[in-house]
Amino acid sequence: MRLIQGNIARWLKKEGDKVSPGEVLCEVETDKATVEMECMEEGYLAKIVRGDGEKEIKVGEVIAITVEDEADIAKFKDYEPSKSGDAPAAKGPSDSAPPKEEKVEEPPMPPEPKATKATAASAAEDRLFASPLARKLAEDHKVPLSSIKGTGPDGRIVKADIEDYLASGEKGVSKAAPKVDTAGAASLDYTDIPNSQIRKVTASRLLLSKQTIPHYYLTVDTRVDKLMELRSQLNLLQEASGGKKISINDLVIKAAALALRKVPQCNSSWTNDYIRQYNNVNINVAVQTDNGLFVPVIKDADKKGLSKISDDVKLLAQKARENSLKPEDYEGGTFTVSNLGGPFGIKQFCAIINPPQAGILAVGSAEKRVVPGSGSEQYQFASFMSATLSCDHRVIDGAIGAEWLKAFKGYIENPESMLL
């Protein structure tokens, strides 16, 4: 997913500081995490244009000025960027080194096309440049191309532009805004909480997922007595060796990864021309934090031992809570696991697919139930855990989804097989 805008979390350097290649200038809050912006060349930080906490900075905007010579710092004391976004040349001797503009490191977005009148909409669409896939998607969803801002080469409209438009809900913008009952609103006591960048992107992606992916859901109850017994035995070994405890969720991640290896059709993504089946099994794990929902990824989870999976989950969860995830910590996932059972005691729920993936597993809490014993009138207690698989029906047919859940249940109920 491409970066469109970000926020300045904080500056680690002050105006006038000397900077060297590799030094971190500031922290930028993107749609997924807080990333560090490093200095590329040696010099001095002459002017900070966008300060701590400034929000919704577009890709390509100037956020700071660096110079090679310390004597040039004073020339940018009163520097203000022009409204058009073009940095004017600084006044000074012609032989002084030109300033360097620190920008968000992605190509700037092309300027918005001029608005056209509604009466000329059809003619305008004929003159707009759009990929065939984008035109078809726009036609299927009755989206006028004239209302889309293209982000491809030379302003060309691409598929992602149509998807962003659908996700943002702009289809209703052209309609008259509904009247607000100011009298009723005035009687309410409320607080407006600004949406963070991660919250906005999460909302956009979840809306896009529900609007464009045909979800269906399969639920199975798995008996987890053997799983909890194995966990206790493994944790005794971990404690003796100085390792960290293994959680039920770590075992669930391992079982899901092995089931994906056994049923690879569920480890796939949909495109209009083909279904891409991944050879790597990378499991995203949903982590709720004060900053929003993050989904760091456990790479090659099918090949890792339980101890390594446990260490990776704890490290990534801590980085998520500290808002310090790097792009490599959350990119490249092929399947997602979301667990609301252990932390919150939720019995069962249905999760929204994390595009472009084709499946997500929702794990509930374990509960004791009375089950028949070996005799005709004998009963015993057993612990069961609910697991619900959300599937993209374009990729995973019902029988394939059921086959995956059967494999997953087999690993959970016979956990020793995961160690072979």
Side-chain angles (χ1 to χ4, degrees):
M1 186 169 181
R2 67 186 188 283
L3 174 66
I4 297 176
Q5 60 186 18
N7 307 327
I8 299 294
R10 61 172 179 151
W11 281 93
L12 304 180
K13 295 291 184 180
K14 304 187 300 294
E15 291 182 358
D17 283 355
K18 185 175 182 179
V19 292
S20 302
E23 285 189 315
V24 178
L25 296 176
C26 65
E27 293 178 348
V28 179
E29 182 188 39
T30 69
D31 54 6
K32 289 290 185 183
T34 298
V35 297
E36 297 174 339
M37 176 171 283
E38 297 181 353
C39 180
M40 303 301 293
E41 297 181 8
E42 188 167 347
Y44 296 85
L45 183 57
K47 180 71 175 180
I48 294 176
V49 180
R50 306 299 294 267
D52 290 356
E54 295 212 30
K55 300 182 180 298
E56 299 183 357
I57 301 172
K58 303 294 183 183
V59 170
E61 280 191 41
V62 177
I63 61 172
I65 300 291
T66 61
V67 294
E68 292 182 359
D69 299 323
E70 187 175 8
D72 291 333
I73 294 176
K75 300 173 185 177
F76 294 92
K77 179 180 179 181
D78 300 319
Y79 171 84
E80 292 290 342
S82 63
K83 293 182 179 180
S84 63
D86 298 326
K91 295 181 181 180
S94 59
D95 59 347
S96 61
K100 298 176 182 59
E101 300 172 353
E102 299 294 338
K103 301 183 180 182
V104 180
E105 295 178 353
E106 283 204 19
M109 304 292 282
E112 294 188 14
K114 294 182 179 179
T116 55
K117 294 183 179 179
T119 55
S122 59
E125 289 191 16
D126 292 337
R127 295 193 299 271
L128 289 173
F129 294 99
S131 69
L133 187 56
R135 286 187 180 275
K136 185 178 186 308
L137 189 60
E139 182 180 346
D140 292 343
H141 292 274
K142 297 181 172 57
V143 174
L145 290 177
S146 58
S147 60
I148 302 295
K149 177 179 67 176
T151 61
D154 300 321
R156 182 184 178 89
I157 298 172
V158 294
K159 176 189 174 186
D161 299 323
I162 307 296
E163 292 175 341
D164 289 347
Y165 177 89
L166 292 171
S168 66
E170 290 181 3
K171 295 173 74 174
V173 170
S174 60
K175 299 179 181 179
K179 293 183 179 180
V180 179
D181 184 1
T182 55
S187 65
L188 298 176
D189 184 14
Y190 61 88
T191 301
D192 289 332
I193 302 173
N195 291 322
S196 65
Q197 190 70 9
I198 181 66
R199 174 63 62 186
K200 291 179 181 178
V201 172
T202 299
S204 175
R205 286 177 61 79
L206 293 179
L207 180 62
L208 175 66
S209 177
K210 289 296 286 185
Q211 285 182 333
T212 61
I213 296 178
H215 287 59
Y216 75 93
Y217 311 95
L218 300 172
T219 301
V220 68
D221 287 337
T222 61
R223 187 166 178 172
V224 294
D225 296 279
K226 290 183 179 179
L227 188 77
M228 292 190 290
E229 182 180 349
L230 175 64
R231 175 183 175 244
S232 298
Q233 294 173 0
L234 292 174
N235 281 336
L236 288 175
L237 296 175
Q238 286 287 95
E239 186 177 355
S241 62
K244 296 179 181 179
K245 286 187 176 182
I246 293 170
S247 69
I248 291 294
N249 200 50
D250 299 331
L251 290 156
V252 167
I253 292 169
K254 180 67 174 180
L258 293 176
L260 288 170
R261 194 165 68 185
K262 184 174 286 188
V263 188
Q265 297 95 320
C266 294
N267 196 43
S268 305
S269 292
W270 168 264
T271 72
N272 284 337
D273 298 319
Y274 50 83
I275 292 174
R276 173 168 291 169
Q277 191 172 114
Y278 300 103
N279 297 321
N280 302 94
V281 179
N282 299 336
I283 305 291
N284 286 103
V285 182
V287 177
Q288 184 64 46
T289 74
D290 294 338
N291 299 312
L293 180 65
F294 292 86
V295 279
V297 63
I298 308 299
K299 301 285 182 67
D300 295 317
D302 58 320
K303 301 175 183 176
K304 290 181 176 178
L306 289 168
S307 179
K308 177 59 175 172
I309 290 175
S310 179
D311 290 342
D312 286 355
V313 169
K314 289 179 175 63
L315 175 62
L316 291 169
Q318 181 63 29
K319 292 175 74 173
R321 285 189 286 270
E322 295 172 351
N323 204 23
S324 61
L325 289 171
K326 307 285 186 184
E328 59 267 24
D329 293 329
Y330 53 78
E331 291 178 346
T334 62
F335 188 87
T336 298
V337 171
S338 179
N339 189 341
L340 293 179
F344 304 104
I346 300 301
K347 180 179 178 181
Q348 187 268 337
F349 69 104
C350 298
I352 299 175
I353 293 171
N354 180 22
Q357 298 170 13
I360 181 171
L361 182 68
V363 181
S365 62
E367 64 173 6
K368 285 190 176 295
R369 301 177 190 173
V370 177
V371 297
S374 55
S376 59
E377 295 184 1
Q378 292 182 342
Y379 298 92
Q380 61 185 6
F381 286 101
S383 296
F384 287 85
M385 180 183 72
S386 175
T388 299
L389 177 66
S390 304
C391 301
D392 181 346
H393 214 323
R394 299 172 301 179
V395 179
I396 304 173
D397 294 331
I400 298 299
E403 184 181 350
W404 185 90
L405 269 181
K406 180 180 178 181
F408 172 78
K409 180 176 181 178
Y411 286 120
I412 292 294
E413 296 188 343
N414 299 282
E416 297 87 353
S417 62
M418 290 192 284
L419 307 179
L420 299 177

